[in-house]
Amino acid sequence: MVLLRTTLPEEVQAEAVWLDEQAATRLSIGIAIVPFAGITFLWFMGVVRDRFKETEDQLFVSVILGSGLLFLAMIFVFAALAGAMVATVPLVTDPAGRSEVVAFGHAMMLQVSNIYALRMAGVLLISLSTMWLRTGVMPRWFAFITYVVAGVLLFTTSLGLWVTLLFPLWVLAVSIIILFTNRRREPALRGRP
């Protein structure tokens, strides 16, 4: 997401000047990484769900899985649009036509990533933080921070680059908390018969 989003200008532009060879290379690298990031996100969702064990609430887990999968699908669509734009632009010889293709592709990418994907991420965060407060699986302070991040993702109308990157940063924070929580529990578990 970082590589793809930092390549795109914040606003849709009538000129295709931003999509030069360097930007196309950055987009191509990002597009190649997206499927692997998607696989990693699926594992992340599995680890987060596994922590609920017997306390799992079917309603919230259904919303968590649905919104997480929709977020991932939107990111795949975002990457596919970027790939289609990178592949199509060199084929368009008319400069005006090239600008129209880039402007349309750019607008579609921003809509998919900023509106749909991030709203689904916000729904995922609300469901997770509610489950965390009910079960105590994660620290309470982090559940409340998650509600704040979810509110920003759901209700911010002008989504700049840094708001877009809130969700990946949140995923990193959850991963670190789970990693350190598991490391502290490991020695205690080894001592049990």
Side-chain angles (χ1 to χ4, degrees):
M1 279 184 73
V2 172
L3 195 56
L4 293 174
R5 284 296 286 126
T6 55
T7 304
L8 295 175
E10 289 292 317
E11 301 292 327
V12 177
Q13 301 171 354
E15 299 297 319
V17 293
W18 67 269
L19 189 58
D20 56 9
E21 191 174 319
Q22 182 182 9
T25 301
R26 289 181 68 185
L27 283 174
S28 296
I29 292 169
I31 293 163
I33 295 171
V34 165
F36 300 104
I39 293 166
T40 304
F41 184 73
L42 288 173
W43 278 98
F44 168 79
M45 297 244 332
V47 168
V48 168
R49 183 175 177 211
D50 184 57
R51 294 182 58 85
F52 293 127
K53 306 270 187 231
E54 303 83 35
T55 62
E56 187 172 85
D57 180 301
Q58 289 183 344
L59 172 69
F60 281 100
V61 169
S62 296
V63 175
I64 290 166
L65 291 174
S67 57
L69 292 174
L70 282 170
F71 166 78
L72 187 57
M74 292 296 111
I75 295 303
F76 284 169
V77 168
F78 171 72
L81 288 168
M85 192 169 59
V86 168
T88 305
V89 166
L91 303 176
V92 181
T93 56
D94 176 38
R98 180 177 295 128
S99 292
E100 290 172 4
V101 168
V102 170
F104 178 76
H106 186 196
M108 285 286 294
M109 289 168 62
L110 289 176
Q111 288 293 311
V112 168
S113 69
N114 287 359
I115 305 301
Y116 297 101
L118 289 183
R119 297 308 190 267
M120 287 299 101
V123 172
L124 170 67
L125 297 186
I126 288 173
S127 303
L128 273 175
S129 54
T130 302
M131 283 292 293
W132 288 340
L133 286 175
R134 285 184 174 188
T135 62
V137 168
M138 291 290 272
R140 290 180 65 78
W141 62 267
F142 193 74
F144 290 118
I145 288 174
T146 300
Y147 276 127
V148 171
V149 173
V152 170
L153 294 178
L154 281 171
F155 299 114
T156 303
T157 56
S158 173
L159 294 172
L161 173 63
W162 301 113
V163 174
T164 305
L165 299 178
L166 267 177
F167 185 66
L169 290 172
W170 176 88
V171 169
L172 178 63
V174 170
S175 300
I176 290 169
I177 290 171
I178 290 173
L179 179 68
F180 284 115
T181 303
N182 285 346
R183 287 196 181 203
R184 275 189 262 146
R185 288 179 23 203
E186 259 180 36
L189 293 176
R190 276 189 237 144
R192 290 184 185 170

